């Protein structure tokens, strides 16, 4: 049957080409038209496969070359060609070979005054032009000149012909040769005039497709540098800017608005950043760093020429695509275990970091770890330390936040009552408008009501006194107590007075101890000031803040404001008000402009330029010894006015997309609010968007790749008070000094007879700072040999964090983990009694201290150095890996390894793990996976967390091994140490789009909760394993029974199953047990 159909179609096509009978040709064309007008594209593709395109083109050529072309035949023939040509990828080449291009152009020229015939010719030309090669040939043969004769100024006649001609011209101009020809023949001003004419007359918007087609012509020409120059010379920016001003809110003009914005962005003159050099303002002399070349004047040749400009996007799509071509498909690389990367005898140095395996009971009690230094204990105030019997709860109640008296912080609820399904409700702050004060929504108190009315009045009165330097108060000197300056001493005394009378009690924080730790912290720039929020402390807000509802069209408005700055510069101030690169003081405190400062730990702001009275361009510093990784920012701004919207534009961001486009806000800390009893980082900002701007980095030299693009993060902020000092940050800051303060206070808070807490130094960093290593477990019950043996046989869990300095959310998760593990929560006790936790809470102290976003002082990503780290160049990675190797060498390989990170382009919390089979399957590798054996227990922990943690989602987890991640901690620990449960845990900078926290941004409380929930997940993982002891199962069952009313049924079901099943089945080797629940 199929053969008969094929032969029948071939007979028709053959007859069409050979017949001279007019009626027969028309009948065949009618039949083919009927066949192709119904059904799917399969019929057209089938006809193409049988030579249908060639038959139609030959018929066209033969008919057109007669003395008097028969348009009764040609018109249906053109309609068929237009339909078939859209589905034939080689149609243009076939038309060129069969000389159909020339024939069609000739027919079009002959029918300039016959609109119906001309329209049919244009349909065919539109299909021919879809191929760049044939489009270029049409351009050589004069097609563009012909089309410009057809495209007339505004008229209501023959508009279908004009529209089709404009669309054909736009298709032809996709060819660079045609675009160059158009520039040389001055088509750009002509097209601009045509568009202006149609726009001004088309008041009813009846001919938007014509206007759009003309704009597409300009867009394609503007891909060339010469095209952009011609556009600018013809005042194209001014013309299109004027046209679009009154159109932004008209939905019917969306096709026009989108193209106009793309053209304006394409043609905005590219320029270098307003910096002397893109290298970091800070440099640190380390081996292997080559001094960067002196800056040179940049020219137009330094910038990209023919790159495709991104389309104007204002949508909610934020999907991050995983690139399959990066997946590792070499089975040997996935499964082979490399040899030790150092002499085996070197591993013995790590024995001293595992004293819990060798010390006697008396030695364990007497070796708590590094003590506070004398200069630190002098200023330490331990009222903030919760007792071992009543540790800090993860969430503080209202009285603890706003009460006036010191209170011992107690556990409000156990961790088990906060599992995902156990949460009854999440308290939301009210939605706020653009100009509303974030603090007034986060806190229930009014601005004038603090811890006590008289104290607040005294502070408010002191704000009015000229004797007090608010700027100095808001950024205290690290060694203010030892200064010889009278004014500095007075400021220090005032700060001390404030601490004594107005500091709210904050658990695990002490400003005096923080100052002592900050004095010992070594920075590249030798910081002498402290950021007030880090010194004073932070209380989590009472409730989570909702994601910002993005205003429709906000990105377009911001782009047009940038264009206005270019073409209407009369109101531009363009005054540098802060710069790390300038040796002289730039800030005039007597002026009305804001004052900026960032020379403190973790601070990052390189330059501030006042653009207009209330608008500033900001540039963040590149990572030390680097020219890139500009994303993290943290700076102080003072001299604020209340109820005035300020706009800030951070113009040298690097990432191509950001959660700032999808509901995320930056964070703000007000010094006055803190002194009024509300020391809280809050989410703030409105009219936020993130988009590619016109700044480019110069290329490295002749023949180098195009210059790097930069992105603008723009946001508006209304400050809560006049003459306030506020800190703005990318995310909740967490400094190295804060960590060291926290660890010391944690060490003082534990009951040494019950909790083994040891803080020691893993190594010294390149910058001369100590990298802390923390060991947490339970003390043995007694000095009996069996109790000591149980103590030493506990399996290890290894957790690391903050290898990327800008991922401060990882430190807040780690903070929750540490505080939970030393708490009196029953789950924490079980964990301590059954595991030894080795924790490196900050793998990159130098990067954190110096305000880096991603790198170490060598300007390299430390999470790409795990394959072969150097003890001299990457000491923290070298010794972290050495410690893991040592544990493996003595048969104590960790059960779980997890590295805490932050994620800038996804929501929720999720894990990345490693799987050979999933990687090969996803990559569609030809290697068979049926013979590969793999421990599938790597999926168990994320599945557990998906059930427990409100912020966690399994759907975002991935277990693929990418080539580009071969040198990361996750992959190296999995491959070299054989830890099947080796993970990276990613926490969003933004918040959640699922679960109980859906629509909410993360606060520090939610991040700390995730750290505790991770620990609970480790316990459940152990309960599900075949090696779990009967004693642990029994104790856990009793604990869960006590929490029955508030606990998710999921956990009780696990315990019921495990306590009633045999331990012969190894839950770690068969994940199907989990999936069948």
């Amino acid at each position: 049957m199929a053969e008969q159909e094929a032969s029948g179609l071939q007979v028709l096509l053959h007859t069409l080409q050979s017949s001279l009978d007019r009626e027969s040709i028309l009948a065949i064309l009618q039949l083919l038209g009927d066949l192709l007008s119904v059904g799917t594209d399969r019929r057209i593709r089938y006809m193409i496969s049988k030579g249908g395109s060639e038959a139609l083109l030959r018929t066209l050529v033969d008919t057109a070359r007669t003395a008097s072309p028969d348009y009764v035949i040609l018109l249906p023939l053109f309609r068929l060609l237009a339909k078939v040509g859209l589905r034939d990828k080689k149609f243009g080449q076939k038309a060129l070979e069969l000389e159909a291009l020339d024939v069609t152009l000739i027919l079009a020229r002959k029918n300039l005054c016959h609109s119906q015939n001309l329209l049919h010719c244009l349909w065919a030309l539109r299909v021919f032009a879809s191929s760049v090669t044939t489009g270029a040939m049409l351009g050589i043969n004069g097609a563009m000149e012909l089309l410009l004769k057809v495209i007339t100024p505004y008229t209501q006649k023959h508009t279908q012909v004009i529209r089709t001609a404009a669309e054909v011209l736009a298709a032809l101009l996709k060819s660079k040769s045609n675009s160059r020809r158009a520039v040389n023949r001055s088509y750009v001003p002509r097209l601009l005039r045509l568009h202006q004419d149609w726009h001004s007359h088309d008041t009813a918007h009846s001919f938007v497709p014509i206007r759009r087609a003309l704009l597409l012509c300009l867009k394609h020409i503007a891909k060339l540098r010469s095209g952009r120059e011609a556009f600018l010379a013809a005042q194209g920016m001014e013309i299109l800017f004027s046209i679009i001003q009154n159109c932004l809110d008209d939905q019917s003009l969306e096709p026009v608005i989108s193209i106009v914005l793309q053209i304006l962005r394409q043609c905005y003159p590219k320029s270098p950043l307003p910096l002397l050099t893109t290298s970091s303002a800070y440099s640190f002399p380390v081996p292997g760093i080559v001094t960067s070349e002196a800056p040179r004047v940049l020219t137009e040749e330094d910038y990209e020429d023919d790159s495709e400009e991104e389309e104007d996007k204002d949508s909610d799509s934020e999907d991050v695509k995983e690139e399959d071509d990066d997946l590792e498909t070499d089975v040997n690389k996935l499964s082979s275990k490399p040899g030790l990367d150092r002499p085996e005898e070197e591993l013995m140095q790590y024995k001293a970091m595992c004293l819990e395996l060798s010390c006697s009971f008396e030695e364990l009690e007497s070796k708590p770890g590094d003590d506070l230094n004398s200069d630190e204990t002098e200023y330490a105030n331990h009222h903030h330390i919760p007792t071992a019997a009543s540790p800090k709860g993860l969430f503080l109640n209202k009285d603890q936040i706003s009460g006036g008296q010191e209170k011992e912080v107690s556990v409000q609820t156990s961790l088990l009552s906060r599992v995902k399904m156990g949460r009854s409700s999440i308290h939301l702050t009210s939605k706020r408008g653009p100009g509303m004060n974030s603090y007034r929504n986060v806190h229930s108190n009014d601005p004038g009501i603090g811890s006590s009315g008289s104290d607040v009045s005294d502070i408010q009165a002191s704000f009015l006194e000229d004797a007090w330097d608010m700027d100095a108060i808001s950024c205290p000197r690290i060694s203010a107590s030892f200064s010889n300056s009278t004014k500095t001493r007075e400021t220090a005394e005032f700060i001390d007075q404030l601490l004594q009378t107005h500091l709210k009690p904050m658990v695990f924080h002490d400003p005096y101890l923080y100052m002592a730790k900050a004095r010992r912290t070594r920075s590249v720039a030798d910081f002498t000031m402290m950021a007030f929020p880090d010194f004073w402390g932070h209380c989590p807000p009472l409730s989570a803040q909702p994601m910002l509802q993005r205003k429709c069209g906000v990105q377009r408005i911001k782009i047009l404001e940038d264009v206005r700055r270019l073409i209407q510069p009369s109101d531009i101030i363009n005054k540098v008000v802060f710069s790390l690169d300038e040796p002289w003081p730039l800030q005039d405190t007597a002026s009305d402009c804001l004052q900026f400062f960032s020379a403190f730990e973790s601070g990052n702001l390189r330059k501030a330029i006042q653009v207009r009275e209330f608008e500033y361009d900001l540039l963040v510093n590149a990572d030390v010894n680097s020219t890139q990784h500009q994303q993290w920012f943290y700076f102080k701004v003072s001299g604020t006015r209340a109820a005035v919207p300020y706009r800030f534009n951070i113009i040298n961001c690097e990432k191509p997309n950001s959660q700032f486009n999808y509901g995320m806000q930056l964070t703000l800390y007000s010094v006055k609010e803190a002194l009024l009893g509300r020391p809280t980082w809050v989410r703030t900002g409105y009219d936020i968007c993130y988009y590619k701007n016109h700044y480019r980095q110069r290329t490295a030299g002749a023949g180098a790749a195009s210059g790097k693009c930069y992105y603008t993060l723009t946001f508006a902020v209304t400050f809560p008070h006049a003459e306030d000092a506020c800190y703005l940050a990318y995310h909740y800051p967490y400094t190295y000094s804060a960590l060291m303060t926290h660890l010391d206070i944690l060490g003082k808070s534990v009951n040494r007879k019950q909790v083994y807490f040891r803080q020691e130094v893993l190594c010294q960093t390149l910058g001369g700072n100590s990298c802390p290593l923390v060991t947490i477990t339970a003390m043995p019950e007694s000095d009996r040999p069996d109790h000591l043996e149980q103590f030493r046989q506990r399996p290890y869990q290894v957790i690391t964090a903050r290898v990327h300095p800008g991922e401060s959310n990882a430190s807040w998760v780690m903070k929750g983990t540490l505080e939970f593990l030393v708490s009196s929560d029953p789950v924490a006790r079980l964990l301590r009694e059954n595991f030894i936790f080795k924790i490196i809470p900050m793998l990159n102290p130098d990067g954190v201290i110096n305000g880096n976003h991603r790198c170490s002082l060598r300007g390299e990503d430390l999470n790409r150095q795990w394959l072969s780290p150097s003890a001299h160049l990457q000491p923290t990675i070298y010794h972290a890996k050495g410690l893991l190797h040592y544990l493996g060498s003595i048969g104590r390989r960790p059960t779980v390894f997890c590295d805490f990170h932050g994620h800038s382009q996804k929501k929720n919390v999720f894990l990345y793990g490693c799987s050979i089979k999933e990687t090969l399957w996803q990559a569609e590798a030809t290697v068979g996976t049926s013979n590969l054996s793999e421990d599938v227990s790597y999926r168990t922990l994320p599945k557990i967390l998906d059930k427990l943690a409100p912020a966690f989602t399994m759907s975002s987890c991935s277990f693929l091994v990418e080539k580009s991640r071969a040198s990361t901690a996750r992959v190296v620990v999995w491959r070299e140490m054989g830890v099947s449960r080796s993970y990276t845990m990613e926490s969003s900078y933004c918040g959640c789009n699922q679960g109980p926290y859906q629509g909410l941004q993360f606060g520090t409380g939610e991040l700390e909760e995730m750290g505790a929930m991770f620990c609970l997940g480790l316990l459940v993982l152990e309960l599900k394993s075949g090696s779990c002891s009967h004693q642990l199962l029994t104790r856990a069952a009793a604990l869960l029974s006590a929490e029955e009313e508030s606990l998710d049924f999921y956990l009780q079901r696990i315990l019921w199953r495990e306590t009633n099943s045999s331990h012969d089945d190894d839950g770690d080797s068969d994940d199907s047990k989990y999936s069948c629940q």
Side-chain angles (χ1 to χ4, degrees):
M1 186 69 177
E3 292 180 359
Q4 292 177 357
E5 290 178 358
S7 61
L9 178 61
Q10 289 169 337
V11 167
L12 281 175
L13 295 175
H14 177 74
T15 305
L16 179 65
Q17 297 174 74
S18 59
S19 176
L20 298 177
D21 181 60
R22 183 173 187 257
E23 298 303 323
S24 298
I25 293 174
L26 286 172
I28 293 172
L29 292 175
Q30 178 66 40
L31 181 58
L32 290 174
D34 293 342
L35 286 172
L36 301 183
S37 64
V38 295
T40 64
D41 287 349
R42 290 182 60 188
R43 291 189 176 187
I44 297 177
R45 299 187 191 283
Y46 181 72
M47 177 177 166
I48 292 169
S49 70
K50 298 303 177 183
S53 298
E54 292 87 341
L56 294 174
L57 290 168
R58 288 193 182 98
T59 305
L60 168 65
V61 172
D62 293 341
T63 306
R65 285 179 173 172
T66 59
S68 180
D70 188 347
Y71 286 94
V72 176
I73 293 176
L74 287 173
L75 295 187
L77 185 56
F78 275 132
R79 289 195 290 270
L80 276 173
L81 284 168
K83 183 175 291 188
V84 173
L86 290 174
R87 304 294 182 270
D88 190 345
K89 295 180 180 180
K90 298 180 179 179
F91 193 72
Q93 186 62 33
K94 293 174 183 177
L96 181 62
E97 292 172 355
L98 294 173
E99 301 180 356
L101 299 184
D102 293 338
V103 164
T104 306
L105 276 177
I106 291 170
L107 289 174
R109 289 191 180 98
K110 289 180 177 179
N111 286 278
L112 286 175
C113 296
H114 195 295
S115 61
Q116 193 63 20
N117 293 349
L118 177 59
L119 179 61
H120 283 70
C121 294
L122 292 173
W123 286 343
L125 288 174
R126 184 167 57 188
V127 178
F128 298 154
S130 61
S131 164
V132 175
T133 304
T134 53
M137 186 59 64
L138 285 169
I140 292 172
N141 292 337
M144 292 194 297
E145 291 81 358
L146 169 66
L147 293 169
L148 282 172
K149 292 179 181 179
V150 178
I151 305 171
T152 64
Y154 177 80
T155 178
Q156 294 188 7
K157 297 180 180 179
H158 313 307
T159 54
Q160 189 177 5
V161 173
I162 295 172
R163 171 184 173 176
T164 307
E167 291 171 348
V168 176
L169 181 59
L172 291 176
L173 288 169
K174 289 181 179 179
S175 161
K176 290 182 181 179
S177 61
N178 285 341
S179 288
R180 291 190 186 96
R181 191 174 293 110
V183 173
N184 294 335
R185 296 178 183 179
S186 301
Y187 286 1
V188 172
R190 188 171 176 181
L191 288 167
L192 278 169
R193 286 194 300 271
L194 281 169
H195 183 269
Q196 271 186 294
D197 187 66
W198 280 91
H199 173 79
S200 60
H201 288 92
D202 184 22
T203 56
H205 307 320
S206 303
F207 306 114
V208 169
I210 295 176
R211 292 154 61 182
R212 182 179 184 276
L214 292 171
L215 288 169
L216 281 172
C217 294
L218 290 168
K219 177 189 171 185
H220 296 321
I221 294 173
K223 290 179 183 178
L224 297 180
R225 184 191 306 121
S226 58
R228 295 192 290 271
E229 291 171 351
F231 179 83
L232 293 171
Q235 303 294 303
M237 295 290 283
E238 291 82 353
I239 292 170
L240 293 190
F241 181 79
S242 174
I243 284 174
I244 201 174
Q245 284 302 292
N246 300 319
C247 302
L248 286 177
D249 297 328
D250 193 331
Q251 291 297 316
S252 66
L253 292 179
E254 178 61 29
V256 169
I257 295 169
S258 178
I259 304 300
V260 168
L261 285 166
Q262 291 174 47
I263 296 171
L264 292 174
R265 297 181 75 176
Q266 276 181 303
C267 296
Y268 198 116
K270 305 300 181 285
S271 61
L273 291 168
L275 295 171
L276 294 175
T277 173
T278 54
S279 298
S280 173
Y282 301 140
S283 63
F284 183 78
V286 291
I289 298 295
V290 180
T291 304
S292 59
E293 62 179 27
R296 62 184 176 87
V297 177
L298 306 188
T299 65
E300 180 71 15
E301 283 73 19
D302 286 314
Y303 306 118
E304 58 185 345
D305 181 9
D306 298 323
S307 65
E308 183 72 34
E309 181 70 22
E310 66 175 11
E311 291 190 6
D312 171 61
K313 295 178 180 176
D314 216 1
S315 69
D316 293 328
S317 175
E318 54 175 318
D319 295 336
V320 179
K321 295 182 179 178
E322 305 287 348
E323 298 295 337
D324 288 351
D325 57 0
D326 187 37
L327 297 179
E328 182 59 75
T329 56
D330 187 329
V331 178
N332 291 326
K333 289 183 178 180
L334 287 170
S335 57
S336 63
K337 184 177 180 181
L340 196 64
D341 63 352
R342 65 197 76 194
E344 192 169 351
E345 55 270 19
E346 275 194 22
L347 297 181
M348 293 310 298
Q349 66 181 301
Y350 302 105
K351 183 177 180 180
M353 298 180 190
C354 300
L355 295 179
E356 63 275 5
L357 298 180
S358 57
C359 287
S360 66
F361 185 78
E362 292 76 12
E363 288 175 317
L364 288 174
E365 287 188 312
S366 63
K367 288 182 179 292
D370 299 337
D371 291 327
L372 291 174
N373 294 78
S374 58
D375 65 330
E376 294 164 1
T377 55
E378 179 182 353
Y379 297 100
N381 177 352
H382 301 305
H383 291 299
H384 50 272
I385 299 177
T387 64
S390 56
K392 168 187 176 243
L394 290 182
F395 292 95
L396 305 182
N397 63 27
K398 184 173 180 178
D399 292 335
Q400 292 164 340
I401 292 291
S402 57
Q405 299 178 356
E406 287 190 11
K407 296 185 179 182
E408 185 179 271
V409 181
S410 60
V411 174
Q412 300 303 311
T413 56
S414 73
L415 180 67
L416 292 176
S417 65
R418 294 197 298 272
V419 296
K420 180 176 285 187
M421 301 308 293
R423 284 194 172 274
S424 58
S425 63
I426 304 298
H427 181 63
L428 270 168
T429 57
S430 60
K431 306 282 183 179
R432 62 180 180 276
M436 295 181 68
N437 186 334
S438 300
Y439 278 92
R440 296 177 188 179
N441 289 71
V442 173
H443 296 279
S444 58
N445 292 350
D446 291 329
I449 303 174
S451 301
S452 66
S454 60
D455 289 344
V456 172
S457 299
D458 291 341
I459 294 179
Q460 288 176 329
S462 69
F463 289 153
L464 303 176
E465 304 236 2
D466 294 335
W468 300 120
D469 185 349
M470 183 62 185
D471 215 39
I473 295 170
S474 64
C475 203
R477 299 185 72 82
I478 292 175
S479 301
S481 302
F482 308 106
S483 174
N484 293 324
S485 165
T486 302
K487 185 172 182 179
T488 302
R489 283 201 306 272
E490 290 176 350
T491 301
E493 291 170 2
F494 180 59
I495 292 173
D496 189 64
Q497 176 188 341
L498 293 178
L499 286 171
Q500 296 297 328
T501 58
H502 301 292
L503 178 67
K504 296 176 64 59
M506 295 182 207
V507 291
F508 299 117
H509 182 72
D510 182 348
Y512 295 101
L513 183 56
Y514 184 91
M515 182 183 291
K517 291 295 182 182
R519 279 202 297 271
R520 294 168 55 84
T521 298
R522 302 180 64 177
S523 59
V524 172
D526 196 18
F527 299 137
T528 60
M529 314 291 277
M530 295 177 292
F532 187 88
D534 305 318
F535 166 71
W536 193 265
H538 156 75
C539 287
L542 294 177
S543 49
Q545 293 178 252
M547 291 181 195
L548 183 69
Q549 296 300 312
R550 177 163 170 163
K551 186 193 299 181
C552 181
V554 64
Q555 178 173 311
R556 294 176 170 184
I557 294 171
K558 300 305 179 186
I559 292 169
L560 288 176
E561 288 179 8
D562 290 344
V563 174
R564 184 193 301 277
R565 191 192 301 190
L566 173 71
I567 64 178
Q568 298 174 3
S570 59
D571 64 337
I572 301 302
I573 300 173
N574 208 33
K575 175 185 175 183
V576 177
V577 296
F578 171 80
S579 176
L580 295 179
D581 302 305
E582 308 296 340
W584 57 87
L586 294 169
Q587 305 208 58
D588 180 8
T589 55
S591 70
D592 290 335
C593 69
L594 296 175
Q595 287 91 50
F596 296 86
F597 188 73
S598 64
F600 49 78
E601 190 175 342
S602 294
N604 190 320
L605 179 68
R606 182 171 185 169
K607 193 171 187 176
I609 304 168
Q610 187 177 18
V611 178
R612 298 184 179 93
E613 183 179 7
F614 302 114
E615 181 177 358
Y616 295 83
D617 279 354
L618 309 178
L619 293 102
V620 294
N621 199 17
D623 284 3
V624 176
N625 281 329
S626 171
T627 61
Q628 52 187 340
H629 307 299
Q630 299 97 311
Q631 207 76 18
W632 169 260
F633 59 87
Y634 181 21
F635 58 89
K636 185 188 79 168
V637 56
S638 55
T640 62
R641 296 189 195 179
V644 171
Y646 289 88
R647 179 183 173 190
F648 299 96
N649 313 301
I650 300 179
I651 62 175
N652 64 331
C653 299
E654 282 195 331
K655 289 181 178 291
N657 203 355
S658 171
Q659 281 294 309
F660 281 117
N661 275 337
Y662 309 107
M664 175 177 161
Q665 295 172 285
L666 63 152
T667 58
L668 179 145
Y669 188 106
S670 163
V671 173
K672 283 194 175 182
E673 283 289 324
L675 296 176
L676 291 169
R678 296 181 285 273
T680 301
W681 281 101
V682 297
R683 299 279 191 168
T684 194
Y686 54 95
D687 287 350
I688 299 176
C689 66
Y690 187 96
Y691 59 92
K692 185 189 290 186
N693 59 36
H694 64 281
Y695 292 107
R696 299 291 182 270
Q697 188 181 48
R698 70 167 182 239
T699 54
S706 297
K708 179 176 69 176
C709 301
Y710 289 102
Y711 296 79
T712 291
L713 166 62
T714 181
F715 54 90
V717 173
T718 302
F719 293 106
H721 299 282
E723 295 305 318
D724 195 3
C726 293
Y727 286 79
L728 298 175
Y730 183 75
H731 194 69
Y732 307 101
Y734 192 95
T735 64
Y736 171 75
S737 296
L739 170 68
M740 301 306 287
T741 302
H742 187 229
L743 291 179
D744 276 4
I745 297 174
L746 277 180
K748 296 292 181 182
S749 72
V750 300
N751 183 339
R752 293 289 180 183
K753 295 187 180 298
Q754 297 178 1
V755 180
Y756 180 86
F757 181 95
R758 178 176 175 81
Q759 176 193 347
E760 55 197 311
V761 177
L762 176 71
C763 63
Q764 294 293 316
T765 67
L766 292 178
N769 295 289
S770 299
C771 179
L773 169 67
V774 177
T775 305
I776 300 174
T777 188
M779 288 291 288
E781 291 184 40
S782 70
D783 58 356
R784 282 171 38 186
D786 58 327
H787 288 162
L788 286 174
E789 181 66 14
Q790 188 276 339
F791 172 80
R792 290 173 181 149
Q793 291 304 314
R794 294 171 187 168
Y796 277 90
Q797 311 277 13
V798 177
I799 308 173
T800 62
R802 208 68 185 279
V803 70
H804 294 148
E807 296 169 6
S808 59
N809 41 0
S811 281
W812 289 101
V813 175
M814 177 59 78
K815 182 174 185 286
T817 295
L818 289 166
E819 291 180 11
F820 178 73
L821 286 176
V822 301
S823 74
S824 60
D825 190 287
V827 172
R829 285 201 300 270
L830 285 178
L831 284 165
R832 290 195 301 268
E833 291 166 2
N834 289 276
F835 296 108
I836 301 173
F837 289 87
K838 286 289 183 186
I839 298 174
I840 308 174
M842 193 171 283
L843 278 167
N844 191 351
D846 291 340
V848 172
I849 292 165
N850 293 286
N852 284 6
H853 179 69
R854 194 165 185 89
C855 296
S856 67
L857 292 185
R858 294 189 76 241
E860 61 189 2
D861 183 345
L862 289 181
N863 202 34
R864 298 296 185 275
Q865 307 300 323
W866 279 78
L867 274 177
S868 54
S870 162
H872 301 293
L873 302 181
Q874 302 95 21
T876 61
I877 305 303
Y878 181 85
H879 291 292
K881 186 177 181 182
L883 177 61
L884 285 161
H885 270 309
Y886 172 72
L887 292 175
S889 70
I890 61 173
R892 305 301 297 275
R893 184 175 65 193
T895 305
V896 170
F897 169 84
C898 193
D899 189 20
F900 292 173
H901 282 251
H903 206 287
S904 66
Q905 297 192 47
K906 286 186 176 182
K907 289 186 171 67
N908 311 307
V909 181
F910 50 93
L911 287 177
Y912 289 137
C914 301
S915 166
I916 298 177
K917 287 190 173 184
E918 289 195 38
T919 303
L920 295 175
W921 178 83
Q922 180 68 29
E924 299 180 351
T926 55
V927 180
T929 59
S930 57
N931 296 326
L932 290 174
S933 60
E934 184 173 56
D935 180 359
V936 297
S937 64
Y938 63 87
R939 277 184 165 266
T940 307
L941 180 59
K943 286 182 177 179
I944 290 170
L945 291 174
D946 187 57
K947 295 285 188 180
L948 301 178
F952 194 89
T953 178
M954 183 71 185
S955 60
S956 293
C957 295
S958 173
F959 306 94
L960 307 179
V961 181
E962 304 96 333
K963 298 172 187 175
S964 61
R965 303 293 191 274
S967 55
T968 61
R970 164 177 63 97
V971 176
V972 170
V973 173
W974 168 72
R975 185 177 168 219
E976 295 189 18
M977 285 77 164
V979 179
S980 61
R981 300 188 190 98
S982 177
Y983 303 106
T984 298
M985 188 164 80
E986 301 275 2
S987 300
S988 173
Y989 285 109
C990 182
C992 286
N993 59 8
Q994 57 83 45
Y997 293 158
Q998 183 173 3
L1000 301 180
Q1001 297 182 80
F1002 284 144
T1004 55
E1006 288 73 38
L1007 294 170
E1008 290 183 56
E1009 179 192 65
M1010 186 63 232
M1013 287 293 176
F1014 179 79
C1015 298
L1016 175 58
L1018 295 178
L1019 176 63
V1020 177
L1021 179 68
E1022 176 65 14
L1023 296 176
K1024 287 173 56 60
S1025 72
S1027 60
C1028 183
S1029 68
H1030 182 72
Q1031 181 183 8
L1032 175 58
L1033 283 171
T1034 302
R1035 292 188 60 191
L1039 170 63
L1040 295 178
S1041 296
E1043 296 284 347
E1044 183 173 357
E1045 291 185 2
S1046 59
L1047 183 63
D1048 178 13
F1049 184 64
Y1050 164 75
L1051 283 177
Q1052 297 182 43
R1053 186 165 44 181
I1054 289 175
L1055 265 295
W1056 180 87
R1057 187 194 67 226
E1058 298 294 346
T1059 52
N1060 288 278
S1061 62
S1062 168
H1063 291 294
D1064 295 338
D1065 296 329
D1066 187 356
D1068 284 351
S1069 61
D1070 183 9
D1071 198 49
S1072 62
K1073 286 176 63 180
Y1074 187 95
S1075 60
C1076 70
Q1077 294 180 40

